[in-house]
Structures are given as C-alpha cells and as structure tokens.
C-alpha cells in the first residue's frame, strides 16, 4: 500500500492509497485497508512510470558509439527520474556508424 496526498491520475491529483498485488496496481481508493507492507509518501507525488518515446541517451551517456555500460548507465539515469520505459534512438549519422552503434550496444561481455 502506498499512501499519498498527491497521487496523479490522468489530469487530477488524488488523496488516498494505491494498492498493488504481484507488482501490479489493483486499486486506487480513499479506503485504508490492512496490508503487510505500507509506505507513506504524504507530500510526495506518486504516478505511473513515464515512457520516453525518443531518447538519444541520458545523464551524459549517449546511445550512439557507446559501450554496453554507457547504455545501461543512460537507462539507469532515466529510471532514477521516473522513466520506466524508453525507446532508445541513435543520432543521425552515416548509415554504417548508426548500424555499428546498434551492434555494439547489444553485445554482452
């Protein structure tokens, strides 16, 4: 259960509780129910994760001409700021350079 007076739902802000089961939100209500784990985020905003549909990187980590570690660090930076899903993109460049960026970013050691 997450308690907050700033739960963002659509274009409004709600005061109440978010209940989750197995990692999925099952109810948002003003009713306080008994639970095993409870968090009080009163005064803090609570919302669904953000989706970035076009990003070249983040936190100084680009997705073009980068290492796997750079891509992971860029993704971690997004996550730290509330973005839970991204569509990584590479900057416009020569076709071979862009092709190689995609290959290099997917290799694992």
């Amino acid at each position: 259960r997450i308690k907050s007076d700033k739960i963002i739902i659509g274009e409004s802000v709600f005061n109440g509780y978010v209940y989750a089961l197995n990692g999925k939100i099952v109810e948002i209500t003003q009713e306080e129910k008994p639970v095993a784990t409870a968090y009080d985020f009163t005064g803090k905003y609570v919302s669904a994760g953000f989706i970035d549909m076009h990003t070249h990187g983040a936190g100084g980590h680009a997705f073009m001409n980068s290492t796997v570690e750079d891509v992971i660090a860029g993704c971690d930076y997004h996550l730290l700021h509330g973005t839970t899903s991204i569509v990584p993109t590479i900057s416009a460049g020569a076709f071979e350079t862009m092709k190689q960026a995609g290959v290099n970013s997917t290799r694992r050691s």
Side-chain angles (χ1 to χ4, degrees), residues 30-52:
Q30 290 182 318
E31 184 181 345
E32 183 175 5
K33 301 175 182 182
V35 294
T37 305
Y39 301 94
D40 187 347
F41 291 141
T42 300
K44 298 183 187 290
Y45 287 98
V46 173
S47 74
F50 297 108
I51 299 171
D52 191 329

Side-chain angles (χ1 to χ4, degrees), residues 65-86:
N65 297 328
S66 57
T67 65
V68 171
E69 291 76 19
D70 281 329
V71 172
I72 291 170
C75 292
D76 286 345
Y77 188 86
H78 274 283
L79 187 57
L80 180 66
H81 292 87
T83 305
T84 58
S85 299
I86 64 170

Side-chain angles (χ1 to χ4, degrees), residues 2-3 21 25 33 39 64 66 72 82-83 85 93 97 101 108:
I2 297 172
K3 174 184 178 183
L21 181 63
I25 294 173
K33 301 175 182 182
Y39 301 94
M64 178 106 163
S66 57
I72 291 170
T83 305
S85 299
T97 304
R108 298 278 179 191

Side-chain angles (χ1 to χ4, degrees), residues 1-10 12-19 25 27-28 39-50:
R1 173 182 73 208
I2 297 172
K3 174 184 178 183
S4 177
D5 55 342
K6 296 180 178 182
I7 300 167
I8 299 173
I9 303 175
S12 63
V13 179
F14 184 77
N15 181 5
Y17 302 89
V18 178
Y19 292 92
I25 294 173
E27 186 176 13
I28 300 173
Y39 301 94
D40 187 347
F41 291 141
T42 300
K44 298 183 187 290
Y45 287 98
V46 173
S47 74
F50 297 108

